[in-house]
Amino acid sequence: MAKRFLVTGGTGFIGAALVKRLLKDGHSVRVLDNNSRGAPRRLAEVEGAYEMVEADIRDADAVAKAMAGIDCCCHLAYVNGTEFFYTKPELVLDVAVKGMVAVLDACRAQGVGDLVLASSSEVYQTPPVVPTDESVPMLVPDPLNPRYSYGGGKIICELMAINYGRTDFDRVAIFRPHNVYGADMGWEHVLPQFVLRLKALAAAQPTGALRFPIQGDGSETRSFNYIDDFTDGVAAIIAKGEHLGIYHIGAMEEISVADVARLTARHFGRELELVPGPLQKGGTPRRCPDIAKLSALGYAPKVTLAEGLPKLAAWYDANAHLAPVKG
């Protein structure tokens, strides 16, 4: 049955992908975003098919108006990007907390009983068990480390959604994405940064192995989730997710940072000489989700990193001129 969705953060990377998926599935969509980090170009192919509300998620009046007539709110608006965790922690927390309050108040005021919330794998920091399931405790190990502004904000959002959800909502479902990637995903993430750094190194050194500095020794691992697989996961949660259910969206293909770098370098036809370096404080040596809970709803990721990364690399190679100029 077709529903009316509000997607906050809908011009962001994963927000735009979700908007396109909802429209493809026959739903009507309203987007709320201030485009501070989102990009309307991500929705160019569906222009005219959705309603746009340009507003800050912290603007309670604007959020309440945007929520009118909605069946389900998908709340994704947040400040993402590892660089921002360290450089603008107060902004990360301001958007997290005030945005969550605005969404919860708007849902209650407008009678919207269905809320789907985007959380993050960062709520675990360094998980004690890998692969990690949804029952592993959430953690802020050091409140003085600005990195935890992001994970801490997500923990607050989850607690608020769950506890308001107990009495004021028909359903609150939460998803925790694990390293979602794809073309036009932003500029502050490891995969785009690898591509742009390798592009510059390859141009400066036309032949031979490229010396490529990395954080850590390269043995650190991550698992990556291609954007099309991610939207399959959200669609499964929207269709079948239970009230107060929490679900990982990801893939269980764990890969070392060294192999990620080498895989990225293939786009440029180059070999690498990896140069180890210090890890940023707060980084975790391993991250890989257990996705059994979402798999029980029919979710099955299809795109391996070897298949998806070349698409990302080609986009950033061709669109490097769009990168923001740093002051």
Side-chain angles (χ1 to χ4, degrees):
M1 183 178 72
K3 293 184 177 181
R4 297 161 296 177
F5 283 84
L6 174 66
V7 179
T8 73
T11 63
F13 169 56
I14 66 173
L18 177 58
V19 168
K20 288 183 278 191
R21 174 58 184 262
L22 291 170
L23 290 170
K24 180 182 176 183
D25 289 348
H27 302 293
S28 62
V29 181
R30 182 179 296 154
V31 172
L32 186 144
D33 205 311
N34 66 356
N35 296 320
S36 60
R37 296 194 62 251
R41 67 170 179 264
R42 293 187 175 115
L43 293 172
E45 65 192 78
V46 292
E47 187 174 359
Y50 66 96
E51 181 185 351
M52 181 71 203
V53 177
E54 190 165 343
D56 191 308
I57 193 62
R58 295 168 291 183
D59 183 340
D61 290 339
V63 176
K65 290 176 183 176
M67 198 71 70
I70 293 298
D71 297 313
C72 177
C73 174
C74 296
H75 179 38
L76 281 69
Y78 208 86
V79 177
N80 197 3
T82 308
E83 285 185 11
F84 291 118
F85 307 170
Y86 292 98
T87 61
K88 296 183 178 181
E90 74 288 355
L91 176 64
V92 172
L93 285 165
D94 199 57
V95 170
V97 176
K98 291 179 182 176
M100 191 73 249
V101 170
V103 166
L104 290 169
D105 285 348
C107 284
R108 294 188 300 166
Q110 300 289 2
V112 177
D114 195 3
L115 174 63
V116 177
L117 173 66
S119 184
S120 171
S121 60
E122 286 281 327
V123 299
Y124 302 115
Q125 304 312 326
T126 301
V129 179
V130 180
T132 306
D133 68 27
E134 294 86 348
S135 68
V136 169
M138 299 186 289
L139 182 66
V140 177
D142 179 8
L144 296 178
N145 185 337
R147 179 190 178 93
Y148 302 131
S149 58
Y150 182 85
K154 288 292 190 183
I155 292 171
I156 293 168
C157 288
E158 287 201 25
L159 289 171
M160 293 183 69
I162 289 168
N163 288 293
Y164 278 73
R166 294 183 197 279
T167 55
D168 294 339
F169 288 81
D170 301 317
R171 180 182 71 163
V172 170
I174 297 169
F175 63 86
R176 296 174 181 159
H178 283 65
N179 293 95
V180 183
Y181 73 98
D184 202 6
M185 67 179 292
W187 306 92
E188 306 85 13
H189 307 276
V190 63
L191 296 182
Q193 290 179 347
F194 273 16
V195 174
L196 296 180
R197 286 172 55 205
L198 286 165
K199 179 180 176 72
L201 286 170
Q205 182 188 323
T207 61
L210 300 173
R211 283 178 57 83
F212 191 66
I214 57 172
Q215 292 183 31
D217 62 10
S219 65
E220 299 79 16
T221 68
R222 294 293 183 269
S223 63
F224 294 88
N225 188 213
Y226 191 61
I227 186 64
D228 292 351
D229 288 336
F230 165 79
T231 55
D232 283 349
V234 181
I237 292 166
I238 288 172
K240 303 175 185 177
E242 64 182 10
H243 182 42
L244 305 184
I246 300 170
Y247 303 90
H248 285 163
I249 305 180
M252 295 185 69
E253 176 193 12
E254 191 174 1
I255 183 170
S256 72
V257 172
D259 284 342
V260 172
R262 295 186 187 105
L263 193 59
T264 309
R266 285 185 194 172
H267 174 75
F268 299 97
R270 304 299 292 272
E271 297 293 325
L272 296 183
E273 178 188 341
L274 296 175
V275 182
L279 281 171
Q280 281 186 304
K281 190 175 180 181
T284 181
R286 289 184 70 193
R287 185 167 285 155
C288 180
D290 183 330
I291 58 171
K293 194 171 178 181
L294 186 57
S295 297
L297 302 185
Y299 172 71
K302 304 177 183 68
V303 182
T304 66
L305 188 64
E307 295 167 329
L309 184 54
K311 300 176 184 179
L312 176 147
W315 190 91
Y316 280 94
D317 187 9
N319 293 280
H321 62 282
L322 296 177
V325 178
K326 294 183 178 180

